[in-house]
Amino acid sequence: MFALRGIAVSLTFFVLVYCLLSALVALAWRSLKLLHTTERRLTDLFFALRVLPLAASIVVTLVFVVPSFQLLEPRSMNVEEGIGAMPLALGLCALLLIACGCWRVIAAQAQTSRVVAGWLEGAHRLQVDAAAWTQSHTVTFRSRREAPPLTLVGLRKPAVLVSESTIALLTPDELRVALKHELAHVRSRDNLKKLIFRLCPFPGMAKLEDAWSQAAELAADDASVSSLNDAVDLAAALVKLSRLIPVESAPVCTVGFVTGSISARVARLLAWNEDEAGRARQTRMRPWHAIPPVLVVLLCVTAAYGPVLALTHEMTEWLVR
Amino acid sequence: MRLMMTKAFSIFGSSSRPRLGPLEQRLLQALWARGSATVRELLADDNIHQAYTTVMTTVDRLYKKGLLSRVEEGRAFRYTPRHTPEELQRVTALESIRQLLGSGDASALPLSYLVEALSAHDAQLLDALQLLVERKRQELHSRQAKILESAARQKTPPERR
């Protein structure tokens, strides 16, 4: 019973923190749009904000709730204490939430695999100069005419699918820069991020995901363009491929080239400026930039760990009663 | 604006919101331009050459259709449009789409027309974008040609007479 009570209390904390943070994120994410920063950084911030509720609730549960229950909850030998109605109900809600998240991930992955297998029927390796621009671990396929014009698929072994119509329609320069755009998505692991979004369901997050998607497209545009010629070629490719109406809708875990607001992307590309692009590259966020804030948080947590555990346990007691 | 209004009200004329006649459209337009007006003020407008009673009857009809609000001013009324042109267009479009979707047994048929109209709109937008891209490309080519030309001129030594 002690273990069951511990699990119920931990799940209760998990679901409470998750819902509270998700509601806050759903209300407050629009303020990020006011930031004057690069699209790459904005994409990272949108992603961080979207997964913050899940990450924070897991950390709070594992770092504070479980140890506080283990260390501070008295194990009474004589009197058997019940789980309590509220932890039981909220614990079930947490289990439902976790099951829903897992189901969404599995369903999205299964649907993507099924659809991509159809697109790959009769496909073969791309044998054009533009393929040389792709990284060695990314395979570029020439797929059927009805497949989406240009799509990135796969998580572990990403592949770029280029339809026959796309090859017929684009010039070699346009195809090269369009492939570079898709490779920018590979480097950012955008397919994986889309799958992670499925893991954390909460109503009202669709607009944040749309904003992330639009920012990710703009960031990939920025990463693929290194001159005004490239920018014009990419804009031309975008307009040409927008005219191809896809027969099937793209599944979740794929990134299509023709996504987001086409007019906004074209206007932005035609106004491409070398100085601004250079500044954007200089201000790019690197993974090691996160080390100082993480260290500060770790120090604070270590210094105040005892009192925080005691406080968490008090809250646990309040919940059980 | 007149064209917009004519389009908004004439395409789906048999709706619950009745079709606006030419004088009604002109009066509504004059009221949008002025903000609010009495019949006498509307008659001062150069575009409206009608008798006082005709204009009075017409604005009263617009009031009864819910397009104008009015307040007493002396012995006359001051009329104010209840909607901006954009609001009116939006309401009319929504009403028209609602009627279109609700009409007939084959509900998929009007939807297909709607998709066709939207696709035509998209094609126009893409044509405009393509034009922009082509212009930029031409501008870029002419700029590069000029740079090459000036570089070639600098390399060539001046001719001696």
Side-chain angles (χ1 to χ4, degrees):
Chain A
M1 187 55 88
F2 180 81
L4 268 180
R5 203 146 44 88
I7 292 168
V9 166
S10 305
L11 287 173
T12 300
F13 259 86
F14 171 82
V15 78
L16 285 178
V17 174
Y18 179 83
C19 289
L20 189 71
L21 284 177
S22 294
L24 279 176
V25 166
L27 286 174
W29 71 269
R30 281 180 185 83
S31 57
L32 281 187
K33 283 183 172 179
L34 302 173
L35 286 177
H36 290 285
T37 184
T38 61
E39 291 302 327
R40 179 74 266 151
R41 190 169 284 184
L42 199 59
T43 312
D44 293 340
L45 287 173
F46 279 145
F47 175 73
L49 212 54
R50 179 66 186 88
V51 297
L52 175 76
L54 182 67
S57 49
I58 289 173
V59 167
V60 166
T61 307
L62 294 181
V63 176
F64 298 111
V65 182
V66 174
S68 81
F69 194 85
Q70 284 284 334
L71 297 171
L72 304 174
E73 180 69 12
R75 293 169 197 242
S76 50
M77 295 293 179
N78 302 327
V79 186
E80 201 59 59
E81 204 177 338
I83 294 175
M86 194 189 277
L88 189 67
L90 289 175
L92 284 175
C93 285
L95 284 177
L96 267 176
L97 189 79
I98 293 164
C100 176
C102 292
W103 170 251
R104 277 159 50 98
V105 168
I106 293 165
Q109 191 57 15
Q111 189 219 8
T112 306
S113 305
R114 197 175 57 246
V115 175
V116 169
W119 289 343
L120 280 170
E121 261 174 37
H124 52 88
R125 292 284 288 267
L126 190 66
Q127 297 294 331
V128 291
D129 291 342
W133 286 88
T134 60
Q135 290 165 343
S136 55
H137 60 268
T138 310
V139 189
T140 311
F141 284 104
R142 180 182 178 136
S143 54
R144 288 177 295 126
R145 188 169 284 273
E146 312 85 64
L150 194 61
T151 313
L152 172 68
V153 298
L155 296 173
R156 276 177 302 152
K157 288 179 186 170
V160 180
L161 302 184
V162 189
S163 76
E164 288 180 357
S165 314
T166 303
I167 293 168
L169 214 58
L170 301 187
T171 65
D173 279 341
E174 288 167 357
L175 184 56
R176 175 185 58 80
V177 75
L179 282 173
K180 278 175 80 180
H181 170 98
E182 290 306 311
L183 291 174
H185 284 301
V186 176
R187 280 194 296 276
S188 323
R189 298 176 194 279
D190 286 339
N191 269 351
L192 180 65
K193 286 175 183 170
K194 277 184 156 187
L195 197 64
I196 292 172
F197 290 164
R198 309 285 294 174
L199 195 60
C200 15
F202 196 80
M205 289 292 192
K207 285 189 177 164
L208 172 56
E209 286 172 22
D210 286 346
W212 172 83
S213 177
Q214 175 73 10
E217 287 305 321
L218 296 180
D221 284 348
D222 289 346
S224 58
V225 166
S226 52
S227 68
L228 189 54
N229 271 324
D230 280 355
V232 174
D233 282 335
L234 189 61
L238 204 52
V239 175
K240 283 181 184 176
L241 297 186
S242 298
R243 291 185 192 275
L244 299 177
I245 300 165
V247 177
E248 304 154 284
S249 60
V252 177
C253 302
T254 59
V255 180
F257 178 63
V258 185
T259 316
S261 165
I262 303 302
S263 43
R265 282 174 68 187
V266 169
R268 201 165 167 273
L269 285 167
L270 295 184
W272 190 86
N273 182 306
E274 199 163 341
D275 298 337
E276 277 181 24
R279 272 199 296 274
R281 270 193 288 273
Q282 280 169 2
T283 55
R284 196 175 167 185
M285 225 172 176
R286 303 285 175 194
W288 57 84
H289 290 172
I291 293 174
V294 168
L295 276 178
V296 170
V297 171
L298 275 177
L299 271 173
C300 292
V301 168
T302 314
Y305 196 55
V308 173
L309 277 191
L311 184 72
T312 312
H313 187 251
E314 269 180 41
M315 287 166 77
T316 315
E317 289 289 314
W318 178 79
L319 265 178
V320 174
R321 280 168 207 156
Chain B
M1 190 182 292
R2 184 173 295 175
L3 185 71
M4 184 185 88
M5 272 184 55
T6 313
K7 275 184 183 171
F9 286 104
S10 64
I11 300 171
F12 305 100
S14 59
S15 65
S16 61
R17 189 188 290 281
R19 183 200 293 250
L20 287 186
L23 181 59
E24 286 177 325
Q25 288 181 27
R26 282 215 304 277
L27 288 172
L28 197 54
Q29 202 179 351
L31 279 164
W32 275 327
R34 285 171 169 272
S36 70
T38 59
V39 174
R40 204 162 289 284
E41 284 168 354
L42 284 171
L43 281 167
D45 196 319
D46 289 341
N47 289 330
I48 296 158
H49 308 286
Q50 301 288 339
Y52 183 92
T53 46
T54 312
V55 174
M56 196 175 71
T57 314
T58 314
V59 286
D60 186 56
R61 207 182 303 142
L62 285 173
Y63 167 74
K64 282 176 182 162
K65 284 177 184 175
L67 295 172
L68 303 178
S69 61
R70 68 184 185 188
V71 284
E72 270 191 57
E73 195 175 283
R75 292 173 61 191
F77 284 112
R78 175 166 288 278
Y79 292 91
T80 312
R82 292 173 74 110
H83 309 281
T84 62
E86 292 77 22
E87 279 170 357
L88 195 62
Q89 195 186 24
R90 192 172 60 84
V91 168
T92 315
L94 280 174
E95 180 64 29
S96 306
I97 291 168
R98 205 172 290 130
Q99 282 196 3
L100 185 71
L101 295 177
S103 66
D105 294 331
S107 59
L109 202 64
L111 251 184
S112 73
Y113 292 151
L114 198 63
V115 169
E116 203 175 300
L118 288 174
S119 302
H121 179 265
D122 282 355
Q124 278 178 3
L125 180 70
L126 289 174
D127 286 343
L129 288 175
Q130 188 152 12
L131 200 67
L132 281 175
V133 172
E134 290 308 323
R135 266 190 211 150
K136 191 76 182 179
R137 190 167 266 165
Q138 277 171 6
E139 190 187 307
L140 199 62
H141 284 170
S142 62
R143 202 189 298 168
Q144 281 167 347
K146 271 181 196 168
I147 292 169
L148 285 175
E149 206 176 296
S150 65
R153 245 186 245 150
Q154 279 173 357
K155 273 185 186 172
T156 319
E159 277 184 28
R160 287 186 186 173
R161 287 184 183 176

